[in-house]
Amino acid sequence: MIKRYAVLAMVGAVMSAGASQTAAQRLSGNVKVDGSSTVAPITMAAAELFQSEQPRVRVTVGISGTGGGFKKFLDQRPDLRTDISDASRAIKGKEIERARNVGVEFIEIPIGIDGIAVMVHPSNDFCDHLTVRELKRIWQPGSAIASWNQVRAGFPELKIKLYGPDADSGTFDYFTKAVVGKERASRSDYTGSTSDNVLVQGVAGDRGSLGYFGYSYYEANKSSLKLIGVDNNNGNPIRPSIDVIRGGTYKPLSRPMFLYVNKESYNRPEVKAYLDFFLTNARQIVEHPTVNYVALSSDLYNLAKNRLNAGKAGSAMEAAKGKTRDLVEIFRDH
Amino acid sequence: MNAEPLDFQPGLARRRRAGRLFTLALTAAGLAGIGFLIVLLARVLWEGAPSLSRDFLANFPSVLNPPKAGVKSALWGTVWLMTMTVLVSVPIGVATAVYLEEHAPNNRLTRFIHLNIANLAGVPSIVYGILGLAVFVRWMHFDRSVAAGALTLSLLIMPVIIIASREALLAVPQSFRHAALALGATKWQTIRAHVLPAALPGIITGVILAVSRAIGEAAPLLMIGALTYVAFVPEGPFDAFTALPIQIFDWCDRPQPQFHHLAAAGILVLLSILLPMNAVAVALRAWHTRRKAWQNSGI
């Protein structure tokens, strides 16, 4: 019995020696990613492509929501921490404070843009666009708007039925901040769901419906929804498309997505290799038809690369908070 | 003398009508359940069958190429989970039942334990997830591994196994025990050679039904932080894992319809494990009932 194990061990040793000779830079190890369900397809797709490059590195992706992801990223216990956090919004002041308390240094990199689409029932022929001011009046806490004719004079008296992501979602955080003006401030008498597909069903099945969720869910269900334009209170309603979102005019409902990288983890060759691989192929991954987000400019991906290489810790988004600047400026200057 | 009762039929037609109506309502209730099941199965088959293939079982999940996506990691994750769950929960569950039924005195404490086990069987599965997160993931340092998942699911199904085993032991006639003890067998010999074998089919039925509940659970696994994208098969109990219900959940959540078809195919894989398991449980029960001559002979 012992003899057999010895032989097995020898065979194993010879085999692994052979493997390391043929591919000297072949890496192994685990890369733990968790966070936003919106961002997850990007990191999953990157993991999938990366696997053909480094088959022995095991990249795992969990979906706990942006906030839940940060909890795991900033766990009290270092052994339970994730290496990379998927985020569909920038890290919050509270989370930065927590990072400081538990002693985690992180590097923030932008990876792509997602649009939030505003939709109505396809039979709705009176509403082509809404202004941000109108959206605010509809969605703000305590709003008494119950019928379309209360939204704008000339709209029919039709009961308005609201659909939106529930309060665990990064989309909810972003929309409330962008439209109502205060993060997480929303009326609560709407049909909420964590699953955007449930919201699609709701908006598509209700004549007086109005809803908001990720643009890619509109693209996949074009025939059963009507996309409306959003007018940023300047008389110029913009109806989003991938090209429009890329152009940067769909404001305020385009949002950047980020990865937060544990600085210590980035010193591990497998984590570095994964992120470098992703940033080199970012456009191809982010805009792949089954991922379907908008890629950033190559300038921004280069800024992200430099940030990682330089090990620049901290949040540029937090540093630039309150100033209206574009992403390139933010990540160049902070 | 006989004429009077025969004449008594006030509203007989009406009462018979009510009876027929009642039968009809009952039949409708019974058929409704079957109807929903058929609609559900037909829809899943319609959506998922085209994606089912050998490749679907042999490939890892894919975001970039849905037609080549598969459930390999999720299927193996589920196999690992269920094997470990059975290995942990069955010995402890059956031993608990044997203790409670054969050894424990009937006092306040054991009655309290009985009551608690019955209550635990009704606790929502997510609560076990929270417990698993605190105890197995964090306190016992198992991280988000197969072991943490399996132990959480073991806790979830143990009350069901205990209750089913107790019922099975309870159904074994006292005369079996008396006969064995009278012939000089020890308590342990009586239980091992007579009581347990007689109760075994009932116990196995309970175990299978409990495992069929565990196999479809996503909530407690998500709670302990089981992963969604895993492109390897677990090699040991402390490896990261994903499971079929989580994979299905993830695919359902995607915008593109290709992924919804994959989800349906995943459901078919899950059902094709579940249905045979349930069939075995039903067959065992039937066989057991036929074999248990003592139930009919009134010993």
Side-chain angles (χ1 to χ4, degrees):
Chain A
M1 199 61 176
I2 291 171
K3 212 169 167 185
R4 195 194 300 166
Y5 279 139
V7 170
L8 272 178
M10 270 169 62
V11 170
V14 170
M15 273 169 64
S16 55
S20 61
Q21 266 168 12
T22 49
Q25 71 282 53
R26 189 160 275 194
L27 301 168
S28 61
N30 298 319
V31 180
K32 296 199 276 183
V33 188
D34 207 319
S36 159
S37 62
T38 310
V39 182
I42 299 178
T43 37
M44 288 179 187
E48 206 177 314
L49 283 177
F50 183 62
Q51 209 182 20
S52 47
E53 192 116 315
Q54 291 288 0
R56 295 181 56 198
V57 176
R58 311 200 296 187
V59 182
T60 56
V61 182
I63 296 180
S64 316
T66 302
F70 277 127
K71 271 188 201 146
K72 291 183 171 130
F73 186 68
L74 303 172
D75 201 292
Q76 200 82 43
R77 286 233 315 267
D79 58 316
L80 288 177
R81 278 176 207 154
T82 50
D83 301 310
I84 300 169
S85 213
D86 288 335
S88 64
R89 55 159 172 80
I91 192 167
K92 289 180 186 173
K94 255 191 208 151
E95 290 155 344
I96 294 175
E97 202 182 304
R98 179 167 173 80
R100 204 175 301 127
N101 290 340
V102 297
V104 169
E105 281 199 290
F106 62 83
I107 307 169
E108 175 187 59
I109 56 170
I111 56 164
I113 311 254
D114 180 26
I116 297 174
V118 181
M119 275 140 307
V120 294
H121 190 263
S123 77
N124 179 326
D125 54 3
F126 51 87
C127 183
D128 273 324
H129 75 274
L130 288 170
T131 66
V132 172
R133 207 172 291 124
E134 284 163 338
L135 280 171
K136 179 179 175 174
R137 277 187 32 240
I138 297 169
W139 283 97
Q140 68 193 355
S143 162
I145 288 178
S147 163
W148 277 98
N149 60 359
Q150 294 168 283
V151 176
R152 193 187 294 169
F155 282 177
E157 197 183 330
L158 174 68
K159 206 163 176 272
I160 195 165
K161 288 288 288 279
L162 297 171
Y163 295 87
D166 68 12
D168 289 332
S169 143
T171 313
F172 173 83
D173 290 351
Y174 190 88
F175 182 88
T176 46
K177 178 87 175 73
V179 166
V180 179
K182 187 161 173 269
E183 195 163 284
R184 305 183 71 75
S186 167
R187 72 192 280 175
S188 49
D189 54 340
Y190 69 96
T191 308
S193 171
T194 20
S195 166
D196 285 356
N197 281 320
V198 173
L199 299 176
V200 169
Q201 301 292 324
V203 176
D206 216 320
R207 255 171 51 75
S209 64
L210 171 74
Y212 69 90
F213 43 79
Y215 177 76
S216 46
Y217 286 84
Y218 164 72
E219 280 240 313
N221 298 282
K222 272 182 176 166
S223 55
S224 48
L225 301 166
K226 179 183 168 188
L227 181 68
I228 63 169
V230 174
D231 172 353
N232 196 10
N233 301 332
N234 56 15
N236 181 23
I238 307 279
R239 195 195 298 261
S241 69
I242 288 286
D243 285 330
V244 168
I245 297 169
R246 181 179 298 121
T249 51
Y250 184 56
K251 282 177 179 163
L253 292 181
S254 304
R255 56 169 170 175
M257 299 177 284
F258 304 92
L259 293 187
Y260 288 83
V261 182
N262 185 313
K263 197 175 156 182
E264 221 169 281
S265 301
Y266 189 66
N267 293 330
R268 302 209 319 264
E270 66 273 18
V271 178
K272 183 173 172 4
Y274 171 68
L275 285 165
D276 291 353
F277 177 88
F278 166 62
L279 284 174
T280 309
N281 301 288
R283 181 169 307 275
Q284 180 203 346
I285 293 167
V286 172
E287 301 205 341
H288 189 277
T290 50
V291 178
N292 206 27
Y293 295 119
V294 174
L296 304 169
S297 64
S298 13
D299 279 356
L300 262 168
Y301 286 126
N302 284 331
L303 283 171
K305 262 186 212 167
N306 296 341
R307 228 175 157 75
L308 283 171
N309 283 327
K312 194 168 188 331
S315 169
M317 294 302 289
E318 181 72 13
K321 208 174 175 180
K323 300 167 204 154
T324 42
R325 314 184 62 186
D326 72 24
L327 280 176
V328 179
E329 287 176 333
I330 293 173
F331 279 88
R332 199 183 48 216
D333 298 347
H334 292 282
Chain B
M1 264 195 64
N2 293 344
E4 239 176 47
L6 279 180
D7 281 341
F8 176 75
Q9 34 176 244
L12 181 62
R14 193 169 51 83
R15 286 187 287 129
R16 285 210 171 125
R17 231 183 0 260
R20 273 198 299 274
L21 220 66
F22 189 58
T23 315
L24 208 69
L26 293 183
T27 316
L31 288 179
I34 298 171
F36 281 124
L37 184 68
I38 288 172
V39 169
L40 206 71
L41 282 179
R43 218 198 122 154
V44 172
L45 264 173
W46 176 256
E47 278 202 4
S51 308
L52 268 186
S53 65
R54 195 184 293 252
D55 281 351
F56 186 70
L57 299 179
N59 288 354
F60 287 118
S62 168
V63 179
L64 297 170
N65 191 5
K68 283 260 168 278
V71 288
K72 186 175 180 184
S73 44
L75 183 60
W76 281 102
T78 290
V79 169
W80 263 97
L81 266 184
M82 288 308 121
T83 313
M84 286 187 64
T85 303
V86 167
L87 287 180
V88 173
S89 61
V90 172
I92 301 180
V94 173
T96 308
V98 170
Y99 169 74
L100 287 175
E101 222 34 67
E102 306 293 326
H103 288 275
N106 182 14
N107 58 21
R108 264 166 189 270
L109 179 68
T110 42
R111 278 199 297 275
F112 182 68
I113 294 177
H114 284 181
L115 183 73
N116 266 294
I117 290 170
N119 280 335
L120 280 177
V123 169
S125 57
I126 189 106
V127 177
Y128 286 97
I130 296 170
L131 185 72
L133 177 67
V135 176
F136 304 125
V137 177
R138 305 197 66 94
W139 188 60
M140 293 176 76
H141 287 246
F142 286 168
D143 208 345
R144 304 145 93 179
S145 63
V146 179
L151 287 171
T152 307
L153 291 181
S154 299
L155 287 186
L156 174 73
I157 64 171
M158 228 181 286
V160 184
I161 293 180
I162 296 171
I163 292 172
S165 304
R166 281 192 57 217
E167 305 272 330
L169 290 169
L170 208 62
V172 178
Q174 271 311 68
S175 54
F176 278 37
R177 296 179 184 84
H178 293 162
L181 291 171
L183 288 170
T186 63
K187 187 148 194 172
W188 160 238
Q189 286 170 324
T190 307
I191 293 171
R192 198 201 56 192
H194 300 283
V195 180
L196 266 184
L200 200 60
I203 294 175
I204 295 175
T205 308
V207 168
I208 292 176
L209 291 178
V211 171
S212 350
R213 176 183 171 192
I215 205 171
E217 282 289 352
L221 295 179
L222 287 172
M223 196 67 222
I224 65 153
L227 297 157
T228 307
Y229 177 82
V230 172
F232 53 85
V233 170
E235 284 160 6
F238 297 105
D239 267 355
F241 73 101
T242 188
L244 279 171
I246 300 177
Q247 185 66 67
I248 293 166
F249 180 71
D250 178 47
W251 278 332
C252 286
D253 220 23
R254 293 292 173 75
Q256 292 83 10
Q258 298 106 293
F259 291 111
H260 304 163
H261 297 312
L262 289 175
I267 293 172
L268 289 176
V269 172
L270 190 61
L271 282 178
S272 61
I273 304 174
L274 250 172
L275 290 180
M277 274 173 46
N278 282 327
V280 169
V282 171
L284 260 174
R285 170 145 292 177
W287 173 73
H288 182 48
T289 323
R290 257 204 321 278
R291 213 183 55 118
K292 276 193 298 185
W294 72 76
Q295 282 193 333
N296 311 323
S297 59
I299 300 174

